Amino acid sequence: MQLSIAITPPLVHFSRQRAAFILLVPLVVGLVVFAIYPAIYLVALSLTKSTLGQPFKSWVWGSNYLWAGGGDGGVFLTSLLRSAVFALTVTGLELVAGTALALLLLKPRRGDSLIRGSILLPLMTPPVLVGTAWKLMLAPAGGLVNGKLQAWGVIDAPISFLGSQPWADISLIVADVWQWTPFIAIMAYAALKQVPGDVVEAARLDGASEGRIFWTILLPLTAPALAAIFVLRLVMAFKTFDLVYILTYGGPGNSTALPNFGIWRLAMRSFDVGLAAAETVLFAVFISLVLLPVLRLHKRFEERT
């Protein structure tokens, strides 16, 4: 005797709805735990007078935002502009240098794996060690850079690279570019490898120079990927903290204090957690505004490709 079970259409529809709901549960839980709840907590904290020991001590509503928006003498707003200049500068330099390195890696040569491994060395070095190494190299007394410049007759007296401007800003940029250019190089190398080799070979057979091949074939085809790399690295550059902490500690004065460092100092040194939360919210909004034109540019590149 053969048994058959007939599933009515409404029952099938209900099962699909329930399955879809069950599949969405981990996503909803993840959003609530890692995004929504921390965001609500941060905004609520920014509206209060809070310390490390006494969060939500009293409600001050918009006072923290008014203070961060100019009540502190413009210290925080200046640090926002400084972070934008720093992030855009280092990201632009790293994208150019990383793409150039990636083009060199494309040409087959002996010891390719060793060269690629050596390029990754700065990226694999812990940020604290990178900062310490650059601090030792840039030291006025006994530092490698000052020693070489004096030996070559470029300078007569040691320069305080980390204690004077504009050398402190330049030193931070150089250290950051040294550390993160390999990351861009590897990402750009992966993007360039996706360009069809027969297209490049056909251009070479037609007599196109390497420069013309790059500007007319490689760059247009990899522009969306390079723009995505730029966005990713730009977000990471806004989060720079360790180099500032180790190399300059925000000095001289507050001239190299990026928002991350200032927020940390407010929360962990001054214990003004409410104001630190308000500055964190404003910093997130500021990063979003800076990223908007970059994301539109990325979308335009994708539409053209």
Side-chain angles (χ1 to χ4, degrees):
M1 180 178 179
Q2 186 175 2
L3 295 176
S4 62
I5 300 175
I7 301 177
T8 59
L11 182 58
V12 173
H13 180 66
F14 175 75
S15 300
R16 286 178 178 175
Q17 280 188 333
R18 188 168 58 179
F21 176 76
I22 293 173
L23 290 175
L24 280 176
V25 168
L27 175 62
V28 173
V29 172
L31 282 175
V32 170
V33 172
F34 296 109
I36 297 175
Y37 175 74
I40 294 174
Y41 185 85
L42 182 67
V43 172
L45 203 60
S46 70
L47 301 175
T48 65
K49 180 69 178 175
S50 297
T51 64
L52 284 177
Q54 289 182 304
F56 300 99
K57 187 177 178 181
S58 61
W59 292 93
V60 296
W61 303 110
S63 297
N64 287 330
Y65 288 95
L66 291 176
W67 181 262
D72 60 351
V75 173
F76 178 66
L77 294 179
T78 304
S79 72
L80 286 181
L81 296 177
R82 189 181 300 120
S83 70
V85 172
F86 174 81
L88 290 169
T89 301
V90 297
T91 306
L93 291 174
E94 289 161 9
L95 185 65
V96 172
T99 305
L101 271 176
L103 288 171
L104 292 176
L105 291 174
L106 278 180
K107 297 179 180 177
R109 56 174 60 83
R110 295 178 63 183
D112 273 352
S113 58
L114 180 61
I115 294 173
R116 282 196 290 270
S118 303
I119 288 174
L120 285 176
L121 184 60
L123 186 63
M124 293 187 293
T125 306
V128 174
L129 192 54
V130 172
T132 304
W134 277 98
K135 191 163 189 172
L136 292 174
M137 286 194 294
L138 296 172
L144 175 66
V145 177
N146 270 304
K148 290 296 181 185
L149 291 177
Q150 282 185 292
W152 294 335
V154 179
I155 57 175
D156 296 325
I159 297 175
S160 178
F161 286 106
L162 302 177
S164 62
Q165 288 290 17
W167 294 112
D169 284 333
I170 295 173
S171 300
L172 285 176
I173 290 172
V174 169
D176 192 273
V177 169
W178 181 84
Q179 183 182 12
W180 287 104
T181 294
F183 171 75
I184 302 288
I186 294 301
M187 301 284 281
Y189 175 77
L192 290 169
K193 289 289 283 184
Q194 301 303 316
V195 177
D198 52 349
V199 177
V200 177
E201 287 302 321
R204 287 199 179 105
L205 290 174
D206 288 340
S209 64
E210 293 298 322
R212 188 173 178 81
I213 290 173
F214 173 73
W215 289 109
T216 58
I217 298 176
L218 295 179
L219 186 58
L221 290 177
T222 57
L226 293 178
I229 295 169
F230 184 86
V231 172
L232 177 63
R233 179 62 195 121
L234 185 62
V235 174
M236 296 165 67
F238 271 114
K239 297 161 63 177
T240 300
F241 173 82
D242 36 31
L243 286 180
V244 175
Y245 182 86
I246 296 170
L247 288 180
T248 65
Y249 205 74
N254 281 321
S255 61
T256 60
L258 300 178
N260 285 334
F261 181 78
I263 291 168
W264 169 81
R265 200 161 48 183
L266 268 177
M268 306 306 292
R269 300 298 299 272
S270 303
F271 307 114
D272 195 343
V273 177
L275 181 57
E279 291 192 354
T280 302
V281 173
L282 293 176
F283 188 36
V285 173
F286 179 75
I287 293 175
S288 302
L289 293 176
V290 174
L291 285 177
L292 274 178
V294 182
L295 291 173
R296 286 183 180 177
L297 186 65
H298 174 241
K299 186 178 180 182
R300 185 171 298 179
F301 282 144
E302 281 190 330
E303 290 172 352
R304 286 182 179 179
T305 306

